[in-house]
Amino acid sequence: MTDESGPWLVVGLGNPGREYAGNRHNVGFMVADLLAGRVSARFGRHKRAVAEVAEGRLGFGGPRLVLVKPLTYMNLSGGPVAALAQFYKVPVGRVVAVHDELDIPYGQVRVKCGGGEGGHNGLRSMSRSLGGKEYVRVRFGVGRPPGRQDPADFVLSDFSAVERKELEFLVDRAADVVESVITRGVEPTQNAYHGG
C-alpha cells in the first residue's frame, strides 16, 4: 500500500542543452517546465542526482509534486530518476514519465501504466534503474518520420512550423493529463482524454 500523502515524481524526459530545447525528444522537458509554472516552483540542481528538480503542490493542500528534468542525456535518464525516487521515498507506482511517442499521431496524448518501452531509450533506462516498469507514462504523440527519415534523426529535430502552431496547446493538454493522473488516477484519465 502506498502512502497517499507521499509525493509524486513527475519526470520530463529530454536532453540538456539549448541545441536540443525545441526537439520532439524534449517535449517532456516542455511539459515539466509548464507544470513548474503552474505550481509556482523553480527548477534548480539537486545535490543528490544529476538532475534539475522543482517542488510544489497541486492546489492548496493538494498532492506534492517533485518535478524532474534529468541532465544525463536521454539514454541515461534512469540513474537520476532512481536516485531521486530513493531520496524522496517515492514508490515506482507514483512515478510519472512524460515522453515523446513515435507510435501515436501528432496531436494526441495517451496514458498507460507499465508495459514495454517501444524502443524509447529514456524509458528503457528508467525501467532498468527503477527495477520495474509499473510507472505511469504520459505519451505525447509526435507521429512517424516522413519518408525514410531515420526515427532517431526525426526525434532529435525540431517540431515543424505547422506543428509549432499547436504545440503550446498540446503541451498544456499533456500537463492537464499529468495533473489528472495524480488527482483522479490512470483509468479515469484515460476515459477523459483518450477520445481525441
Side-chain angles (χ1 to χ4, degrees), residues 117-136:
E117 292 96 2
H120 196 289
N121 290 330
L123 295 179
R124 193 176 292 142
S125 176
M126 277 185 61
S127 297
R128 197 167 44 238
S129 296
L130 288 168
K133 300 182 179 189
E134 296 309 305
Y135 53 90
V136 179

Side-chain angles (χ1 to χ4, degrees), residues 9-171:
L9 203 66
V10 179
V11 182
L13 289 175
N15 287 312
R18 257 204 314 231
E19 68 272 33
Y20 298 106
N23 288 183
R24 292 177 177 90
H25 225 19
N26 268 43
V27 76
F29 276 16
M30 297 174 197
V31 175
D33 285 336
L34 182 62
L35 284 165
R38 286 185 180 184
V39 299
S40 303
R42 294 177 85 118
F43 277 99
R45 268 309 276 272
H46 199 274
K47 54 186 179 294
R48 294 286 179 89
V50 186
E52 286 193 343
V53 171
E55 297 181 49
R57 284 193 183 275
L58 275 184
F60 181 73
R64 200 166 137 228
L65 289 190
V66 179
L67 300 164
V68 180
K69 295 193 292 185
L71 299 178
T72 49
Y73 292 98
M74 186 68 82
N75 299 1
L76 300 172
S77 300
V81 174
L84 290 166
Q86 192 175 15
F87 180 80
Y88 290 101
K89 298 179 174 53
V90 179
V92 71
R94 288 173 80 91
V95 175
V96 180
V98 186
H99 64 91
D100 58 307
E101 178 60 68
L102 287 163
D103 293 326
I104 296 174
Y106 183 74
Q108 294 183 16
V109 179
R110 295 282 180 266
V111 182
K112 74 173 186 175
C113 187
E117 292 96 2
H120 196 289
N121 290 330
L123 295 179
R124 193 176 292 142
S125 176
M126 277 185 61
S127 297
R128 197 167 44 238
S129 296
L130 288 168
K133 300 182 179 189
E134 296 309 305
Y135 53 90
V136 179
R137 297 99 187 273
V138 173
R139 307 156 75 207
F140 189 107
V142 295
R144 302 298 305 182
R148 296 183 172 193
Q149 186 180 6
D150 177 21
D153 292 338
F154 179 68
V155 296
L156 288 172
S157 59
D158 286 359
F159 287 99
S160 70
V162 172
E163 288 170 336
R164 280 198 299 274
K165 288 179 182 160
E166 272 191 288
L167 185 59
E168 197 175 325
F169 164 76
L170 295 170
V171 168

Side-chain angles (χ1 to χ4, degrees), residues 175-195:
D176 289 345
V177 169
V178 172
E179 290 190 9
S180 176
V181 164
I182 290 167
T183 57
R184 296 196 287 172
V186 170
E187 209 172 311
T189 301
Q190 289 170 332
N191 294 338
Y193 287 94
H194 284 202

